Structure formats: C-alpha cells, structure tokens
Amino acid sequence: MQQIDVSELQDLVATLGGSPPAMLLDVREQWELAFGQIQVPDAAHLAIPMNALAQRIDELDRAQPVICICHHGMRSAQVAAFLERQGFEAVYNLRGGTDAWSAQVDAQLPRY
C-alpha cells in the first residue's frame, strides 16, 4: 500500500485518470459521513464502513485504483492492507484522513 498526503490527493487522481477513474473509498461510519466527504473532481466516490467491507467487497472494481479514506488514516490503512491481501493492486491510504484534508486543503469540510 502506498501512503499519500492530502496535498497529493488531487494530483494523484488526475495522474491516475483513465477509465475507470480512481475510487475514493470512505470507510467511516454513517454518523461520520454526516459531517461531509472529501470531494475531488474526476474521482469516483463510494462509502462503505470498515466493518461492512468484507461483505461488500464486490462493489469495488479490482482494476480501479482505490484511495482509502477515514477520519485520521488509521482505519483506512487497515482497509488498504486488507484490499491488497484480496488482490487489489493499486491501493493508496490517505494519511491524516478527512481531518488533515480539512486542516490543510478544504476548511469547508468540518473537523470533528
């Protein structure tokens, strides 16, 4: 799994481009999603809580780059490692998660 900083996210999505586009996989709980989500043009978005991923893994395309996101980057790192063990090749973890995104990139996304 590759670790990326929030400052690199938009450039990574643009670089990966293509069809299918990079998937931003938000693994936070439903109550956390109510605070908002990271929005990046040209990226696909999917929210699957970490504890439901094993049952819903077929919703992901193994040919699609996946960028895992959570609140601080710990759960998403675990999910990224899980996806790699399942045979996903292009998996990234967003270091610092939505909290770092809010602090460094987009203050419109509430911190909690």
Side-chain angles (χ1 to χ4, degrees), residues 85-102:
R85 289 191 303 274
Q86 302 308 307
F88 286 77
E89 293 183 17
V91 180
Y92 303 82
N93 179 51
L94 185 64
R95 188 181 297 118
T98 60
D99 190 63
W101 181 265
S102 179

Side-chain angles (χ1 to χ4, degrees), residues 1-55:
M1 144 197 29
Q2 299 180 54
Q3 298 278 342
I4 62 165
D5 290 320
V6 292
S7 61
E8 302 170 299
L9 180 57
Q10 293 181 17
D11 288 341
L12 176 64
V13 168
T15 299
L16 293 172
S19 180
M23 171 64 70
L24 299 184
L25 176 62
D26 195 324
V27 300
R28 295 176 297 151
E29 295 296 321
Q30 191 65 39
W31 67 268
E32 294 175 286
L33 295 173
F35 287 99
Q37 296 182 24
I38 292 175
Q39 299 297 319
V40 176
D42 300 323
H45 297 82
L46 181 62
I48 301 176
M50 179 180 173
N51 64 0
L53 186 63
Q55 294 82 23

